[in-house]
Amino acid sequence: MTSIANTASGSRSSNKVAIVTGASRGIGAAIARRLAADGIAVIINYAGRKADADAVVAGIEAAGGRAAAVQADVAVPAQVAAMVDQACTLFGGVDFLVNNAGIIQPGLTMLADTDDELFDRLIAINLKGSFNTMRIAAKRLRDGGRIVNFSSSVKALALPGYSVYAGTKAAVEAMTNIFAKELRGRGITVNAVAPGPTATDLFLKDKTEAQIEHLAKLPPLERLAQPDDIAEVVAFLVSPAGGWINGQTIRANGGMV
Ligand code: NDP
């Protein structure tokens, strides 16, 4: 863990605290920077890439924000619990949970070619990881908080080669909707964001230039999303302006599906 800067000069000040899972890279890092710019103290969760997580913290601190890097495998309940404890110790509580951490199959993997190990890994991180953090959030999130889960627009697009990955995201969408109702009376909203193709390691690795070009042209806006496009949606959902949206999955994909 790195040091914590307690000033938020240049940012709107806030007493809110967010945990962003998988914030060392890609969409999660953009979300962390965006929330920190709103004065929110951010836990930068990561699985293994400590240097990347520390760099995100350093960038936020340099801009006058507050952040700390915390390693935890979201698939492991005890590590998730320890992360929440650390967030409370460092920043006094937790208001927002952004369940961004996720993995995808290598390239296109047809259902018939999916081995047990890959199936179990996708379920453990994408589905059980979101379950682990939501279960503890039910007890530890402050009233009036926000939970933002991560689905994918490929669930609606139904592209061959994505069956198990899309299955984990379909389950996350179902839990999102029901969990929002189970938190009745707490003032906590639960929503999901379902990005389309977004320029991160997860999307770009294991694809040919031609595949990337094809997928980038699917939305009528004719480009890949950048992580900041998705971070803006999350920032809206956790803001007071987003407070009436609850139990929904927001597709952020440039109109692709
Ligand atoms: P990246 O591969 O760029 O980043 C993944 C992040 O998740 C990293 O910070 C990584 O940590 C972390 N992570 C992976 N496994 C774990 C774990 N077990 N515990 C904790 N953290 C973990 O992914 P993206 O930014 O592209 O994806 C973010 C989310 O958006 C995912 O849920 C993905 O399914 C979803 N999404 C992405 C799309 C895209 O086109 N990029 C499209 C639709 C949805 P570390 O750096 O330590 O490895």
Side-chain angles (χ1 to χ4, degrees):
M1 188 177 316
T2 64
S3 63
I4 307 153
N6 281 317
T7 55
S9 58
S11 311
R12 276 189 272 160
S13 68
S14 153
N15 58 358
K16 302 295 186 190
V17 178
I19 293 176
V20 182
T21 66
S24 45
R25 293 182 281 136
I27 294 169
I31 294 167
R33 286 190 286 263
R34 180 64 184 77
L35 299 189
D38 276 349
I40 298 164
V42 187
I43 295 293
I44 310 297
N45 163 251
Y46 66 100
R49 301 197 190 198
K50 182 178 187 306
D52 288 1
D54 286 345
V56 175
V57 172
I60 287 172
E61 290 180 345
R66 295 172 296 154
V70 177
Q71 192 281 333
D73 181 344
V74 293
V76 181
Q79 294 187 22
V80 170
M83 173 173 66
V84 174
D85 285 344
Q86 250 178 306
C88 292
T89 302
L90 289 166
F91 295 126
V94 183
D95 301 281
F96 308 144
L97 166 66
V98 182
N99 268 324
N100 163 84
I103 59 164
I104 199 165
Q105 76 286 337
L108 300 178
T109 309
M110 302 303 151
L111 187 148
D113 302 324
T114 302
D115 62 25
D116 289 355
E117 189 189 349
L118 176 59
F119 180 90
D120 290 345
R121 211 168 121 67
L122 284 162
I123 294 284
I125 296 174
N126 292 2
L127 177 52
K128 185 148 193 270
S130 296
F131 162 77
N132 286 335
T133 51
M134 280 195 283
R135 181 173 55 181
I136 201 160
K139 296 192 174 67
R140 305 287 296 275
L141 228 60
R142 290 193 278 232
D143 287 357
R146 303 269 195 270
I147 297 172
V148 182
N149 293 324
F150 265 74
S151 179
S152 167
S153 287
V154 81
K155 181 241 165 191
L157 204 58
L159 281 181
Y162 290 85
S163 60
V164 180
Y165 174 76
T168 65
K169 298 300 192 179
V172 166
E173 288 189 19
M175 290 198 300
T176 296
N177 186 237
I178 294 172
F179 194 41
K181 294 177 180 174
E182 291 179 355
L183 290 175
R184 174 181 290 273
R186 299 277 311 278
I188 297 173
T189 66
V190 188
N191 293 290
V193 176
T198 306
T200 68
D201 295 344
L202 178 144
F203 174 78
L204 297 169
K205 74 178 176 206
D206 300 324
K207 288 190 179 71
T208 64
E209 282 300 319
Q211 285 172 326
I212 292 168
E213 181 72 7
H214 170 71
L215 290 164
K217 290 284 189 227
L218 287 183
L221 298 183
E222 294 193 307
R223 65 170 175 85
L224 293 178
Q226 294 301 316
D228 287 345
D229 292 315
I230 310 304
E232 288 297 336
V233 181
V234 175
F236 170 69
L237 286 172
V238 306
S239 75
W244 195 235
I245 299 176
N246 194 15
Q248 308 300 313
T249 296
I250 312 291
R251 289 189 197 142
N253 59 33
M256 181 180 71
V257 62

